[in-house]
Amino acid sequence: MIRILFICHGNICRSPMCEAVMKKLVAEAGRKDEFEIASAATTSEEIWNGRGNPVYPPAKRKLAEHGIDCGDKRAVLLTRADYDRYDMLIGMDAENLRDMKRICGGDPNGKMSLLMDYTDRPGSVADPWYTRDFESTWRDVLEGCKGLLAAIEEGEKK
């Protein structure tokens, strides 16, 4: 079982988009049962009274345009225990990565990376919360998730 946790600031835009896209990609590859895929936030801003906010409606609509359902996903907070539970913790930008290391007490096993590191254009996934450009975020998420799956498959061949 390969366990992947996608992480962003609030867990209502980028990381749940990654979660939904990656689930679709592994299902299309016939590998659904080999993966556990989830997402989380580095802050509690979208989590109220213990219940997280749902995926941001424009992000949900962008996924739906591509036939992807994110279900009833709600924001959850990254915890230190997640470091032991997941094989890969994938952040969306450098700020996320810094916060992930703070929350998890570092990255002694080298499990943390940025999604765009799995593409030909390393850097940040466009943040639609600020840009309102969900199309650019969609392209980054799709390219990053495809690259991540290819890297996993390449690693399995070695």
Side-chain angles (χ1 to χ4, degrees), residues 55-97:
V55 175
Y56 192 51
K60 198 170 193 169
R61 283 192 298 273
K62 182 53 69 177
L63 290 169
E65 284 176 23
H66 297 277
I68 301 173
D69 181 17
C70 57
D72 61 356
K73 166 68 183 165
R74 290 186 165 279
V76 298
L77 192 59
L78 174 67
T79 67
R80 184 177 286 259
D82 288 328
Y83 190 82
D84 294 327
R85 177 179 172 88
Y86 291 93
D87 303 307
M88 304 177 84
L89 290 87
I90 312 291
M92 302 297 114
D93 59 39
E95 182 181 350
N96 297 155
L97 192 57

Side-chain angles (χ1 to χ4, degrees), residues 30 38 46 92 147 154:
E46 297 295 335
M92 302 297 114
E154 185 62 31

